[in-house]
């Protein structure tokens, strides 16, 4: 829950992360360096006119990444019954530049941040499903960037993977946090480690130069009282709300009970997004095939 002492605007969040990284509890956490190919991709995309040739060169520089792009282009989210994409050029044309970049970021993140713990089974698979659901919803909601939505969905819980790698005792904390009913997941993390996966995930986004809005949304994705505020953080609130709805769909697809965040704030997320119950149900039908192919 956001309190009077917690950062609430994007600039405050970035300042908080920088201070915590320099002198605070994040100082000793090992953040995997941003992959060189991702830095190249970010530089190509940051130009006023993105360098399509450079993006294509990066995409074809790694056989496995090329395969990931072809798989994405031929998935139910983008194929729409057309002929299969057989070349990287065809895949990029079908995906569009932003979605091409999003798929590449996902591939590079998965390679850079390894997850081997049995306590985080299917971590990147679930991150990918969340990202696909977010991208799908971005296509349904006016004014929402598919690229930002996909990136937030992918990195939302990346702090867990990083803490599992670099924080002693964190895997035991995962077990404890899932079992406790007297306090929230991040309260258990903070009690044991003086930080939590939302903060660490936001630091990864900061170090990797992801969008400030994505960084802030990761930082605040458990501070769900922000959904009651109608202030300047509309893009952040939209990403957080979409993430809640994406997790709702994922849990439904997996036959799991809804978590406490959805039970407490799902209605607020739907209100923020102005999504009706009928739309919610219709989207679930469309997402089924997308999840099956993830």
């Amino acid at each position: 829950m956001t309190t009077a002492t917690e950062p609430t605007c994007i600039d405050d969040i970035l300042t908080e992360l920088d201070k915590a990284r320099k002198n605070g509890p994040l100082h000793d956490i090992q953040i995997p360096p941003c992959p060189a190919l991702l830095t190249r991709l970010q530089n190509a995309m940051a130009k006023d006119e993105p360098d399509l040739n450079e993006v294509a060169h990066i995409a074809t520089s790694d056989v496995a990444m090329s395969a990931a792009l072809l798989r994405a282009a031929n998935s139910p989210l983008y194929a729409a019954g057309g002929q299969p994409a057989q070349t990287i050029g065809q895949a990029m044309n079908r995906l569009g530049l932003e979605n091409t970049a999003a798929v590449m970021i996902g591939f590079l993140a998965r390679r850079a941040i390894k997850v081997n713990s049995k306590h985080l089974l299917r971590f990147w698979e679930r991150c990918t499903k969340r990202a696909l659901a977010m991208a799908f919803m971005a296509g349904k909601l006016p004014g929402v960037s598919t690229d930002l939505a996909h990136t937030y969905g992918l990195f939302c819980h990346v702090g867990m993977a990083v803490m599992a790698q670099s924080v002693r005792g964190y895997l035991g904390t995962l077990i404890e946090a899932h079992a406790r009913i007297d306090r929230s997941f991040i309260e258990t993390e903070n009690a044991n480690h003086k930080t939590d996966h939302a903060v660490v995930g936001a630091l990864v986004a900061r170090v990797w130069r992801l969008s400030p809005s994505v960084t802030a949304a990761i930082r605040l994705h458990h501070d769900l009282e922000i959904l009651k505020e109608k202030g300047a953080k509309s893009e952040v609130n939209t990403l957080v709300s979409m993430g809640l709805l994406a997790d709702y769909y994922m849990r439904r697809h997996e036959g799991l009970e809804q978590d406490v965040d959805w039970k407490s704030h799902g209605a607020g997320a739907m209100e923020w997004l102005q999504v009706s119950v009928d739309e919610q149900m219709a989207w679930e039908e469309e997402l089924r095939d997308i999840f099956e192919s993830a």
Side-chain angles (χ1 to χ4, degrees):
M1 180 180 296
T2 304
T3 70
T5 60
E6 288 178 326
T8 57
C9 76
I10 292 176
D11 288 342
D12 286 346
I13 287 169
L14 300 182
T15 300
E16 174 215 41
L17 290 170
D18 292 340
K19 288 181 178 178
R21 181 63 167 161
K22 187 175 182 180
N23 298 311
L26 301 182
H27 182 267
D28 295 325
I29 292 180
Q30 299 299 311
I31 303 298
C34 183
L37 285 179
L38 179 52
T39 300
R40 280 179 60 189
L41 177 63
Q42 290 170 326
N43 291 337
M45 295 293 293
K47 297 179 180 179
D48 291 337
E49 291 292 333
D51 190 336
L52 298 178
N53 287 330
E54 172 69 352
V55 174
H57 284 312
I58 297 168
T60 56
S61 67
D62 186 289
V63 172
M65 184 157 58
S66 297
L69 284 169
L70 286 167
R71 186 164 57 251
N74 291 321
S75 72
L77 184 57
Y78 300 107
Q83 292 295 316
Q86 297 179 328
T87 67
I88 292 301
Q90 291 172 350
M92 290 179 63
N93 285 337
R94 177 172 291 175
L95 292 168
L97 184 59
E98 280 197 350
N99 292 330
T100 295
V103 172
M104 293 165 69
I105 290 170
F107 174 85
L108 293 168
R110 191 167 188 158
R111 174 177 285 179
I113 303 175
K114 302 293 186 183
V115 179
N116 299 315
S117 169
K118 65 180 182 180
H119 302 297
L120 289 170
L121 290 175
R122 300 172 52 237
F123 177 81
W124 280 117
E125 178 186 334
R126 299 193 87 249
C127 290
T128 299
K129 287 173 68 174
R130 183 183 301 104
L132 290 172
M134 295 280 291
F136 167 83
M137 287 187 282
K140 302 288 187 179
L141 296 168
V144 178
S145 163
T146 302
D147 175 43
L148 289 185
H150 186 283
T151 302
Y152 170 73
L154 187 71
F155 282 89
C156 179
H157 288 158
V158 74
M160 290 184 180
V162 171
M163 291 183 76
Q165 284 183 340
S166 64
V167 176
R168 181 176 296 178
Y170 182 70
L171 295 178
T173 296
L174 281 178
I175 298 171
E176 179 186 353
H178 282 298
R180 295 192 75 135
I181 60 174
D182 59 325
R183 64 187 183 191
S184 71
F185 197 101
I186 61 171
E187 285 173 337
T188 298
E189 290 178 320
N190 276 286
N192 292 354
H193 307 293
K194 296 184 172 60
T195 191
D196 58 66
H197 72 274
V199 176
V200 174
L203 179 62
V204 175
R206 179 72 165 152
V207 171
W208 285 28
R209 294 170 48 211
L210 302 182
S211 158
S213 294
V214 169
T215 302
I218 294 170
R219 169 64 182 84
L220 296 173
H221 77 271
H222 285 297
D223 295 326
L224 296 171
E225 293 298 313
I226 63 169
L227 299 182
K228 297 178 181 178
E229 302 171 13
K230 308 298 183 183
K233 304 187 303 301
S234 59
E235 190 169 64
V236 173
N237 284 15
T238 296
L239 290 173
V240 171
S241 296
M242 291 172 66
L244 271 178
L245 187 51
D247 280 354
Y248 163 85
Y249 286 132
M250 287 169 57
R251 295 183 77 85
R252 292 265 296 177
H253 184 256
E254 295 167 1
L256 300 175
E257 181 183 356
Q258 294 304 319
D259 62 17
V260 66
D261 284 347
W262 177 261
K263 291 177 180 178
S264 300
H265 298 281
M270 296 279 286
E271 181 180 358
W272 180 271
L273 297 172
Q274 297 185 343
V275 173
S276 70
V277 174
D278 287 343
E279 287 175 309
Q280 181 187 18
M281 294 173 64
W283 293 358
E284 183 172 4
E285 289 296 318
E286 293 185 67
L287 276 167
R288 186 172 291 110
D289 287 342
I290 293 171
F291 283 156
E292 297 282 340
S293 66

